[in-house]
């Protein structure tokens, strides 16, 4: 059972002695890190960041583009930028700036706030690109970045932005930023995030507007600042043909604009979109190309167009975010309860049993390898009948309880008896015998793309990987929302272990959560971003670089613009005035409430591990 790590794992993990380990230097087990950090008092869900997995992705992208450039003797240069919208958390951004130094890896900003971040943290000589809609303030900010010495390109989304740039350039005496034009392509992307491209796209200049733009730039003596065209056909582009189509279009636009007089135009920016493999299952792959195929196609096509149109080969910029960020973060969440944990033999109530329940007892005591499937079906049938009898008033609550306990016991036994049977047969019954795992995390906070787009994220336990997992699992988070569930899906079956949580801990890892999930996460039920930990792998073990506690309940209240003093005063007054509380215990209770306000809202008692 390897939960598809050979499909989605990117060669980042190995399984050894039943534990999931990082395939890096000392190859530490994730479960050891979890125990280590929990021993320091951090319970609840944890977000692990592994900087070596950021570096690996940056290296990949540069290596493969370099390879392609050498192979095709391409004369343009390659340069990558990290789009801040994918993950703006400080522990990620600071790492990526540091790790990207050797490549002069730049930052892409899509809003005023992101531009300010880029200006504060970018490596001094690394490029900045600015996309998205811009008002005059944002354009001025771009000029300030340029005056600070940054190599910054403002990409124009519409002619009005260009007019603002012209106006600003007349008012400011410092340097003018480079100007990029976002082109509106008729080719569109594919998949869940395809809306960024296409002729009806939200972004970019039409051919007519491009011609006007060049004219405007010339008339205002800014044509020498026009250096880049940009496009972005969507995120997680699952196949190559749309990329090639967009490149042909953009390559020809580049050449035509040069002929129109854009003498300093020298770069094509392909935006993001490089896909990663999220699937755990051979039959539902999300991506059907490799990085090497992508880089070869890009370089080859641009070379071909430049040759045909007799223009210099453009520098290639990319703004891949998902590809760079997704792998580095793993969400680790403790399992709190197995639904069937309730149902053990001690819960059976001794009484005169109706015949159908007596039959359930018989099924339970005589079930074996050969009849398991049949008995399982019988017991589920019996349960249906018994529940109907209850609704009609023929059996009582104790009978109903015995029914539930017995059927769950039979399921448990059958699943164990059947575990070596043919997988398909097992699968056929799994939907009706699934086990619910209550997990200490919020899907809304930590896997928003599952909630919003049904995006699959690989999930697996961190240990027991040498034991056969027998329970078909559905995963329930701790929000009070029925959407907070990852249901069992026979097409993407997840099998987990039948653990006795009163004896053992059991942790699930959710992988590839480093792109978009953190910042899109919602405070539904006021659960916040989990405690995050940056971990560096060393030759002898690993080093915990920093631990950032999850936001406290009072911090969230403040985010929502509550007056925290008012909340505290209200609580204090109500406790002090309560006639139901003994005066001697009031100060203790006040303290208790105060501690809860200072803590995060995830479950954390002994019994809620
Ligand atoms: C979102 C976005 C990106 C990043 O896309 P990924 O699919 O994460 O690589 C890059 N450039 C622009 C302009 C974007 O809007």
């Amino acid at each position: 059972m390897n939960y598809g790590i050979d499909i989605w794992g990117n060669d980042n993990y190995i399984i050894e002695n039943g534990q999931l380990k990082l395939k890096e230097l000392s190859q530490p087990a994730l479960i050891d890190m979890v125990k280590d950090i929990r021993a320091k008092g951090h319970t609840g869900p944890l977000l692990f960041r592994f900087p070596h997995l950021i570096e690996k992705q940056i290296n990949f992208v540069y290596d493969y583009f370099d390879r392609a450039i050498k192979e095709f003797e391409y004369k343009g240069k390659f340069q990558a930028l990290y789009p801040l919208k994918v993950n703006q958390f400080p522990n990620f951004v600071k790492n990526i700036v540091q790790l990207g130094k050797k490549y002069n890896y730049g930052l892409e900003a899509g809003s005023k706030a992101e531009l300010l971040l880029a200006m504060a943290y970018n490596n001094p000589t690394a490029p900045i690109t600015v996309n998205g809609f811009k008002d005059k303030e944002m354009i001025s900010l771009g000029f300030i970045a340029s005056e600070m010495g940054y190599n910054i390109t403002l990409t124009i989304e519409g002619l009005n932005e260009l007019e603002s740039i012209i106006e600003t350039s007349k008012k400011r005496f410092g340097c003018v930023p480079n100007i990029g034009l976002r082109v509106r392509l008729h080719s569109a992307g594919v998949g869940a995030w395809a809306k960024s491209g296409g002729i009806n796209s939200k972004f970019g200049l039409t051919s007519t507007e491009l011609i006007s733009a060049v004219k405007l730039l010339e008339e205002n003596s800014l044509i020498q600042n026009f250096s880049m065209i940009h496009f972005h056909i969507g995120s997680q582009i699952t196949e190559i043909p749309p990329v090639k189509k967009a490149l042909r279009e953009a390559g020809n636009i580049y050449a035509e604009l040069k002929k129109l007089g854009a003498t300093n135009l020298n770069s094509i920016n392909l935006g993001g979109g490089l896909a990663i493999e999220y699937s755990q299952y051979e039959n539902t792959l999300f991506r059907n190309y490799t990085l090497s195929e992508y880089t070869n196609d890009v370089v080859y096509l641009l070379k071909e167009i430049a040759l045909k149109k007799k223009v210099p080969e453009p520098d290639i910029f990319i703004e891949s975010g998902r590809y760079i960020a997704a792998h580095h973060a793993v969400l680790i969440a403790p399992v709190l309860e197995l639904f069937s944990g309730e149902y053990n033999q001690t819960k059976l109530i001794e009484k005169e049993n109706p015949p159908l329940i007596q039959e359930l007892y018989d099924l339970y005591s005589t079930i074996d390898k050969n009849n398991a499937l049949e008995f399982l079906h019988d017991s589920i049938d019996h349960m249906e009948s018994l529940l109907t009898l209850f609704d009609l008033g023929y059996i009582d609550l104790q009978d109903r309880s015995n029914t539930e306990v017995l059927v769950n016991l039979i399921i448990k036994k059958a699943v164990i008896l059947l575990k070596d049977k043919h997988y398909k047969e097992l699968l056929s019954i799994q939907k009706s015998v699934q086990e619910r795992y209550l997990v200490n995390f919020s899907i809304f906070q930590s896997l928003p793309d599952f909630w919003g787009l049904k995006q699959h994220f690989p999930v697996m336990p961190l240990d027991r990987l040498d034991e056969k997992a027998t329970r078909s699992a559905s995963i329930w988070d701790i929000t009070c929302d029925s959407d907070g569930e990852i249901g069992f899906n026979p097409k993407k079956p997840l099998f987990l272990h039948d653990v006795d949580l009163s004896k053992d801990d059991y942790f699930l890892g959710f992988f590839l959560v480093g792109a978009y999930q953190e910042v899109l996460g919602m405070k539904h039920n006021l659960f916040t971003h989990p405690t995050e930990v940056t971990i560096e792998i060393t030759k002898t073990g690993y080093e915990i670089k920093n631990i950032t506690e999850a936001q406290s309940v009072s911090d969230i209240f403040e985010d929502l613009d509550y007056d925290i003093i008012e909340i505290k005063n209200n609580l204090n007054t109500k406790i002090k005035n309560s006639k139901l509380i003994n005066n001697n215990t009031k100060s203790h209770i006040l303290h208790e409430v105060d501690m809860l306000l200072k803590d995060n809202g995830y479950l954390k008692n002994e019994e809620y591990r």
Side-chain angles (χ1 to χ4, degrees):
M1 211 52 173
N2 75 357
Y3 294 91
I5 61 168
D6 46 347
I7 302 168
W8 57 266
N10 200 34
D11 210 22
N12 296 341
Y13 301 97
I14 53 161
I15 292 172
E16 199 180 69
N17 303 329
Q19 298 178 324
L20 184 68
K21 298 180 173 182
L22 280 156
K23 194 175 173 183
E24 170 78 2
L25 299 176
S26 57
Q27 308 203 332
L30 276 82
I31 191 76
D32 291 338
M33 301 174 182
V34 173
K35 286 181 182 156
D36 206 1
I37 289 153
R38 286 167 66 86
K40 297 183 201 296
H42 305 280
T43 55
L46 298 168
L47 186 97
F48 281 5
R49 294 189 200 285
F50 297 113
H52 75 280
L53 295 180
I54 307 174
E55 191 174 15
K56 179 173 174 178
Q57 296 304 100
I58 302 177
N59 288 343
F60 262 166
V61 166
Y62 273 90
D63 283 356
Y64 278 96
F65 266 104
D66 279 354
R67 243 184 256 189
I69 282 174
K70 284 209 181 82
E71 184 178 338
F72 298 109
E73 294 175 5
Y74 191 79
K75 288 174 206 74
K77 287 196 285 291
F78 172 73
Q79 176 76 58
L81 303 127
Y82 168 70
L84 282 163
K85 76 157 186 262
V86 176
N87 191 328
Q88 302 97 335
F89 275 69
N91 290 331
F92 179 78
V93 172
K94 290 183 194 178
N95 260 314
I96 205 161
V97 169
Q98 179 62 29
L99 296 167
K101 217 174 199 157
K102 64 177 172 197
Y103 294 114
N104 220 21
Y105 190 44
L107 294 173
E108 185 265 357
S111 64
K112 277 180 229 178
E114 287 181 358
L115 178 52
L116 283 162
L117 268 187
M119 289 160 67
Y121 286 106
N122 200 29
N123 287 314
T125 55
I128 297 176
T129 57
V130 186
N131 300 307
F133 297 111
K134 292 173 262 319
D135 62 3
K136 283 189 187 144
E137 252 177 44
M138 187 157 164
I139 285 169
S140 293
L141 197 56
F143 275 71
I144 294 171
S146 180
E147 287 157 11
M148 282 163 73
Y150 276 123
N151 166 13
I152 179 172
T153 306
L154 297 179
T155 301
I156 301 313
E157 309 276 352
L159 285 178
N160 59 329
E161 288 182 9
L162 186 52
E163 276 152 17
S164 303
I165 289 190
I166 292 167
E167 218 176 284
T168 312
S169 73
K170 287 178 182 152
K171 277 193 230 143
R172 295 191 81 94
F173 301 102
C175 336
V176 178
N178 299 320
I179 296 169
L181 299 182
R182 181 152 179 173
V183 298
R184 182 174 300 223
L185 303 178
H186 69 251
S187 28
V190 283
W193 292 278
K195 288 188 284 293
S196 311
I199 208 83
N200 294 319
S201 150
K202 188 168 145 192
F203 302 106
L205 303 176
T206 63
S207 322
T208 325
E209 288 169 328
L210 284 171
I211 296 169
S212 313
V214 170
K215 213 184 218 164
L216 264 173
L217 285 164
E218 266 171 347
E219 284 165 8
N220 292 280
S221 315
L222 286 174
I223 194 76
Q224 74 284 357
N225 296 84
F226 172 36
S227 61
M228 179 186 286
I229 61 167
H230 175 268
F231 67 91
H232 170 72
I233 58 171
S235 202
Q236 181 70 1
I237 298 171
T238 50
E239 45 191 88
I240 282 277
V243 177
K244 285 196 187 172
K245 201 155 172 280
L247 267 171
R248 278 201 194 92
E249 217 182 325
N252 279 296
I253 291 174
Y254 163 82
E256 291 297 318
L257 288 173
K258 283 205 75 82
K259 285 188 189 165
L260 274 184
T263 42
N264 282 357
L265 173 61
N266 58 13
S267 309
I268 292 191
N269 183 338
L270 319 184
L274 209 48
I276 57 160
E277 186 51 71
Y278 286 99
S279 183
Q280 291 183 270
Y281 311 95
E282 240 5 294
N283 56 352
T284 56
L285 295 185
F286 284 97
R287 175 184 71 172
N288 68 0
Y289 59 89
T290 59
L291 181 59
S292 139
E293 200 178 339
Y294 178 90
T295 55
N296 283 345
D297 281 344
V298 168
V299 173
Y300 178 79
L301 259 172
L302 288 179
K303 186 173 178 89
E304 198 184 48
I305 294 167
L307 203 69
K308 209 194 273 164
K309 292 253 169 169
K310 298 195 174 57
V311 290
E313 291 162 10
D315 291 346
I316 300 167
F317 282 68
I318 68 162
E319 298 168 339
S320 266
R322 185 186 302 275
Y323 188 85
I324 298 293
H327 285 286
H328 93 282
V330 183
L331 177 80
I332 289 157
V335 174
L336 298 172
E337 253 176 63
L338 266 62
F339 186 72
S340 77
E342 299 266 304
Y343 300 115
N344 56 54
Q345 230 158 336
T346 63
K347 299 277 167 66
L348 288 168
I349 302 158
E350 276 201 49
K351 66 187 293 259
E352 180 95 27
N353 285 310
L356 266 180
I357 294 188
Q358 194 49 53
E359 275 185 45
L360 283 178
Y361 270 103
D362 295 344
L363 289 173
Y364 181 49
S365 55
T366 57
I367 189 167
D368 64 27
K369 241 192 170 93
N370 298 317
N371 62 26
L373 205 56
E374 186 191 335
F375 279 24
L376 189 67
H377 288 143
D378 289 350
S379 70
I380 290 169
D381 274 353
H382 285 12
M383 181 170 68
E384 293 300 326
S385 310
L386 282 158
L387 290 176
T388 309
L389 288 175
F390 178 79
D391 293 347
L392 297 173
Y394 291 114
I395 63 169
D396 61 21
L397 193 59
Q398 273 104 341
D399 292 329
R400 183 171 150 149
S401 167
N402 281 344
T403 305
E404 288 169 4
V405 175
L406 280 166
V407 172
N408 272 285
L409 287 172
I410 292 169
I411 290 174
K412 240 179 205 254
K413 221 166 167 181
V415 165
I416 293 168
L417 289 168
L418 286 170
K419 76 175 176 191
D420 300 320
K421 277 258 179 181
H422 196 265
Y423 180 68
K424 258 197 184 137
E425 205 162 301
L426 198 57
L427 213 51
S428 70
I429 54 162
Q430 287 307 338
K431 204 159 165 80
S432 47
V433 303
Q434 60 184 287
E435 174 71 280
R436 296 176 201 163
Y437 288 72
L438 180 68
V439 181
N440 198 358
F441 81 130
S442 157
I443 287 173
F444 299 86
Q445 173 58 238
S446 294
L447 302 176
D449 278 343
F450 174 79
W451 171 75
L453 299 159
K454 291 284 164 277
Q455 172 64 51
H456 176 86
F457 291 90
V459 49
M460 67 182 290
L462 302 186
D463 61 355
R464 293 176 179 254
L465 299 167
D466 47 1
E467 280 171 48
K468 184 151 183 160
T470 52
R471 298 311 310 259
S472 46
S474 59
I475 291 173
W476 292 44
D477 75 4
I478 53 168
T479 65
C480 307
D481 193 312
S482 52
D483 274 354
E485 183 202 351
I486 304 175
F488 181 76
N489 177 350
K491 289 205 185 90
K492 302 175 186 172
L494 174 67
F495 285 89
L496 295 178
H497 296 91
D498 198 357
V499 267
D500 181 352
L501 290 168
S502 66
K503 297 201 183 87
D504 297 306
D505 285 335
Y506 193 55
F507 296 95
L508 297 181
F510 296 84
F511 295 82
L512 306 179
V513 299
Y516 298 103
Q517 304 317 297
E518 291 183 56
V519 91
L520 290 177
M522 290 160 273
K523 293 178 180 154
H524 195 27
N525 273 153
L526 302 185
F527 289 113
T528 54
H529 190 262
T531 296
E532 49 172 299
V533 190
T534 303
I535 303 174
E536 268 177 31
I537 315 304
T538 62
K539 283 192 188 124
T540 50
Y542 56 87
E543 234 175 86
I544 296 169
K545 281 292 174 185
N546 63 48
I547 301 183
T548 309
E549 268 291 352
Q551 256 193 320
S552 70
V553 171
S554 52
D555 285 345
I556 315 168
F557 288 160
E558 276 177 351
D559 282 358
L560 297 179
D561 282 339
Y562 275 103
D563 178 352
I564 189 71
I565 306 283
E566 183 179 277
I567 289 186
K568 279 187 182 170
N569 286 344
N570 285 357
L571 290 168
N572 286 359
T573 316
K574 285 176 186 181
I575 290 168
K576 278 185 184 143
N577 294 344
S578 169
K579 299 202 166 58
L580 302 171
I581 306 174
N582 184 321
N583 276 334
N584 301 331
T585 60
K586 278 185 180 165
S587 70
H588 180 74
I589 289 174
L590 285 173
H591 178 70
E592 210 174 317
V593 170
D594 202 46
M595 292 306 284
L596 286 175
L597 283 169
K598 285 187 184 136
D599 214 333
N600 68 65
Y602 288 102
L603 306 185
K604 53 173 47 172
N605 298 348
E606 281 298 302
E607 66 270 32
Y608 277 136
R609 48 196 75 236

